[in-house]
């Protein structure tokens, strides 16, 4: 079974750093890009960026460029999303999701991780 | 960025009803469109990709159509497990963008 399993919920204070993870299994991890998607409380879905685990090539949404860092460790089939200095406005659920066949333009997401709730208090 | 506009934002329906959700792109995206279902507290689930191709395991009461800028998701014969929020997503170019969502609730 193809699945993405994310790390658990986090409660942090403004200014703290954080890294959350997403571990892939059931498929060749380096064959598919991984994306991160934000969902703020009661709101819709926002694409943050994507990474190619085979070579760590990264593309960020302009809305998130400079605010987060996406990385991967292909030796353990894991992608990461990190912040160096959290803000209260970073409070959200963060999903990782596998991108379809990028070379064929299949830019949809399946499967998704279960989500990681990040709560940042001021 | 390509803007995706979904309508309605909310619809109340009964079991057995036919429900149609529309999604409009701010520019032509050919058939590069996906639909997702999200239930409360759960991750989104891919229902349809390439505008009209049903993802494996998705019931046939779900169907998608459209090309260019106008797309529809139809649920024929709403079931209790279909009450959820539905999102469209343009897959034409990055940054990919999502519609604002349509909440389907019980009348």
């Amino acid at each position: 079974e193809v699945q993405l399993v994310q790390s658990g919920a986090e409660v942090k204070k403004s200014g703290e750093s954080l890294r959350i993870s997403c571990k892939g299994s059931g498929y060749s991890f380096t064959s598919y890009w991984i994306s991160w998607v934000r969902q703020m409380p009661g709101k819709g879905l926002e694409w943050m960026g994507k990474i190619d685990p085979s070579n760590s090539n990264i593309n960020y949404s302009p809305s998130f460029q400079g605010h987060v860092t996406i990385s991967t460790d292909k030796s353990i089939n894991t992608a990461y999303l990190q912040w160096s200095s959290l803000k209260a406005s970073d409070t959200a659920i963060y999903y990782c999701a596998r991108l379809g066949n990028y070379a064929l333009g299949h830019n949809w997401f399946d499967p998704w991780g279960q989500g990681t709730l990040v709560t940042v208090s001021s | 960025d390509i803007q995706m506009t979904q309508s309605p934002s909310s619809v109340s329906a009964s079991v057995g009803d036919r429900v149609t959700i529309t999604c409009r792109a701010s520019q032509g995206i050919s058939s590069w469109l996906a639909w997702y279902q999200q239930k409360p507290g759960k991750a989104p689930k891919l229902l349809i990709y390439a505008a009209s191709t049903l993802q494996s395991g998705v019931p046939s009461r779900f169907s998608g159509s459209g090309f260019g800028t106008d797309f529809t998701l139809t649920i024929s014969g709403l079931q209790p497990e279909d009450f959820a929020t539905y999102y469209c997503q343009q897959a034409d170019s990055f940054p990919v963008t999502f519609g604002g969502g349509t909440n389907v609730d019980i009348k």
Side-chain angles (χ1 to χ4, degrees):
Chain A
E1 179 194 6
V2 175
Q3 62 177 354
L4 298 173
V5 178
Q6 298 184 226
S7 50
E10 302 275 0
V11 179
K12 292 289 190 178
K13 290 183 166 53
S14 291
E16 292 185 331
S17 63
L18 175 65
R19 188 178 77 167
I20 62 174
S21 66
C22 168
K23 183 175 178 62
S25 62
Y27 73 101
S28 172
F29 186 70
T30 54
S31 297
Y32 296 85
W33 292 63
I34 293 286
S35 272
W36 288 93
V37 176
R38 182 176 78 174
Q39 188 167 41
M40 299 180 77
K43 301 299 184 183
L45 304 169
E46 301 172 273
W47 179 76
M48 301 175 71
K50 61 181 172 70
I51 185 166
D52 180 348
S54 69
N55 58 17
S56 293
N57 186 18
I58 305 169
N59 297 120
Y60 291 99
S61 164
S63 299
F64 292 92
Q65 177 92 44
H67 297 288
V68 295
T69 301
I70 295 172
S71 61
T72 187
D73 184 341
K74 62 184 178 182
S75 70
I76 55 171
N77 292 356
T78 300
Y80 301 98
L81 178 67
Q82 67 183 66
W83 296 259
S84 58
S85 180
L86 286 160
K87 304 174 185 177
S89 58
D90 292 318
T91 294
I93 298 173
Y94 294 87
Y95 294 101
C96 63
R98 191 184 77 166
L99 202 60
N101 191 322
Y102 184 59
L104 297 179
H106 294 177
N107 299 325
W108 39 79
F109 304 108
D110 180 67
W112 294 59
Q114 83 276 21
T116 296
L117 173 62
V118 174
T119 304
V120 184
S121 62
S122 52
Chain B
D1 299 2
I2 298 174
Q3 306 304 314
M4 304 301 293
T5 304
Q6 263 183 259
S7 61
S9 58
S10 181
V11 58
S12 294
S14 301
V15 172
D17 284 354
R18 178 185 176 98
V19 172
T20 299
I21 299 167
T22 64
C23 183
R24 175 165 289 176
S26 61
Q27 65 190 69
I29 58 171
S30 184
S31 295
W32 298 117
L33 185 99
W35 290 98
Y36 300 88
Q37 176 193 66
Q38 186 179 32
K39 296 182 179 179
K42 299 294 186 181
K45 171 189 170 184
L46 179 66
L47 295 177
I48 288 171
Y49 60 91
S52 61
T53 303
L54 211 60
Q55 173 69 339
S56 176
V58 174
S60 59
R61 62 182 179 272
F62 291 92
S63 64
S65 65
F67 183 88
T69 59
D70 295 311
F71 300 87
T72 61
L73 171 70
T74 300
I75 311 171
S76 301
L78 200 64
Q79 295 300 300
E81 60 268 29
D82 301 335
F83 292 98
T85 300
Y86 294 84
Y87 294 94
C88 62
Q89 175 232 325
Q90 66 83 9
D92 178 77
S93 60
F94 285 92
V96 297
T97 45
F98 294 87
T102 296
N103 182 50
V104 179
D105 63 18
I106 301 172
K107 183 184 289 184

